[in-house]
Amino acid sequence: MPARQARKSSGTAGSHDTATGPAPCRVVVCRDCCCGSPKVTGVDHAAQTARLRAEAPVRVSACLDVCDQANVIVVQPSAEGRAAGARPVWLGLVNDADATEDIVAWVRAGGPGVAPRPEILDLYAFTPPRRRTVS
């Protein structure tokens, strides 16, 4: 049976490929009405997104409906993390470079289900409200 050739991932991170290991966890950044806007002062939103994108695939989202937590970042587990039972971790009020670096370090270590969440990120973690469905 012929060996399968590894393919480079077409993800947005650029530095991650499937030849060197499993896909990393993913990151969603809210960049809409409050998050990512001048309403949250003192944050270089573009630099924050770029820094996260340097470590993992990043998806920029419209409003995640938790404006009171702006800037919101959601760290989604990798396949390995999901297999271990991990769920996405919602982080709010991520308004300084140190917090972004703490997230980057956790993502680099494997993220939810793979690496324990650093205690400092407990300060940012929150449970999002459930969205109501219309019947």
Side-chain angles (χ1 to χ4, degrees), residues 12-129:
T12 56
S15 64
H16 303 283
D17 74 51
T18 55
T20 59
C25 56
R26 297 179 182 279
V27 176
V28 176
V29 295
C30 184
R31 292 290 184 258
D32 200 13
C33 59
C34 294
C35 301
S37 76
K39 290 181 183 179
V40 179
T41 60
V43 179
D44 184 340
H45 299 99
Q48 183 182 55
T49 302
R51 180 65 185 112
L52 293 164
R53 196 170 264 149
E55 294 299 327
V58 171
R59 183 175 62 120
V60 175
S61 174
C63 187
L64 294 173
D65 295 330
V66 284
C67 296
D68 62 324
Q69 296 289 328
N71 279 324
V72 176
I73 295 175
V74 182
V75 182
Q76 299 176 317
S78 63
E80 180 184 358
R82 284 190 307 277
R87 304 288 302 153
V89 175
W90 289 61
L91 303 166
L93 304 173
V94 183
N95 298 324
D96 63 65
D98 289 339
T100 302
E101 288 305 316
D102 292 331
I103 295 168
V104 164
W106 185 38
V107 165
R108 188 180 308 126
V114 175
R117 182 171 66 210
E119 287 183 17
I120 191 70
L121 291 182
D122 290 345
L123 298 172
Y124 301 93
F126 71 97
T127 302

